[in-house]
Amino acid sequence: REPVPLPGQQRDLVVPDVNLLDFDGFEECRRHKADPATAGIPILYLSALYYDLEHRIRGLEVGADAYLKQPVEPRELVATAHALLRARYVERAVRQSEERFRCLVQAISQVVWTTDPHGEVVAEQPSWTAFTGQGTEEARGRGWLEAVHPDDRGRVAALWYSAVADASTYEAEYRLRRADGGYRSVAGRGVPVKE
């Protein structure tokens, strides 16, 4: 069994042998990846006995991040460990960036919403819903256009489709339906976030 980390310690990488006498590496990996406290910690399997294609596939399917055959060249082990740690660092940075963005959006008084690269709403948009009263399912895809005043909708849609197709900035002034059913003049601006 793995030693329990001391208080304040956290593992950056787990490097178990797949098959020890009292240790089923595949089952341990499954548990490790199912636990939210350890799911993000990469697992680098080593094995001298279980290294055929089926074992490697099984290890990766249960959540291992890499699988090396023992004896392993020390430089390969270090390079693989560094690659896994870099990937974990990037993943952590992306999560922190997304959290900062969410906090910023919730803190400002503007209506902020996001779309996928095709210009379609795919996720919940809390400030949009609060202002327009339009739920997630109503706004999904390009359903958000239904909240635009009918007299402005064609022009706004054309500007939107053009900006999405060109991955360019979108700017439009139009009337947007509020949750109470009245309309308010707004200035909409969208910027593409590339890559």
Side-chain angles (χ1 to χ4, degrees):
R1 292 273 175 227
E2 297 179 46
V4 176
L6 297 172
Q9 283 186 326
Q10 182 176 1
R11 289 183 181 83
D12 290 320
L13 177 67
V14 177
V15 186
D17 191 312
V18 173
N19 190 33
L20 298 175
L21 293 176
D22 65 342
F23 181 83
D24 177 353
F26 297 119
E27 183 55 34
E28 285 299 315
C29 183
R30 196 178 349 272
R31 278 192 229 138
H32 176 92
K33 293 299 184 173
D35 182 347
T38 58
I41 301 171
I43 294 178
L44 167 56
Y45 270 143
L46 299 177
S47 183
L49 299 176
Y50 294 103
Y51 195 74
D52 64 28
L53 178 62
E54 288 305 312
H55 287 110
R56 289 192 322 264
I57 290 171
R58 182 174 175 208
L60 296 170
E61 285 178 343
V62 297
D65 298 280
Y67 203 117
L68 296 175
K69 181 178 181 179
Q70 290 192 62
V72 63
E73 167 63 39
R75 288 178 46 223
E76 181 182 16
L77 177 61
V78 170
T80 303
H82 282 171
L84 293 173
L85 293 172
R86 276 192 310 271
R88 183 171 186 221
Y89 172 79
V90 167
E91 184 179 300
R92 185 181 298 146
V94 167
R95 270 197 317 274
Q96 289 172 343
S97 177
E98 288 174 347
E99 183 59 30
R100 282 193 300 270
F101 174 73
R102 263 192 300 279
C103 289
L104 175 65
V105 166
Q106 290 172 356
I108 64 174
S109 62
Q110 306 293 317
V111 176
V112 177
W113 47 282
T114 60
T115 69
D116 67 8
H118 307 290
E120 298 190 355
V121 172
V122 294
E124 185 178 354
Q125 310 292 329
S127 62
W128 178 266
T129 298
F131 185 84
T132 66
Q134 198 179 38
T136 301
E137 289 308 311
E138 292 173 281
R140 190 170 301 280
R142 294 190 175 160
W144 63 271
L145 284 165
E146 293 300 314
V148 174
H149 192 281
D151 294 344
D152 301 336
R153 194 173 298 147
R155 177 180 53 80
V156 169
L159 290 168
W160 178 253
Y161 298 147
S162 176
V164 169
D166 298 339
S168 61
T169 300
Y170 156 81
E171 292 188 65
E173 291 185 18
Y174 52 93
R175 291 164 286 177
L176 186 61
R177 187 181 61 237
R178 297 185 315 242
D180 66 7
Y183 284 89
R184 180 167 184 189
S185 293
V186 298
R189 186 165 199 267
V191 294
V193 179
K194 299 178 181 179
E195 298 180 17

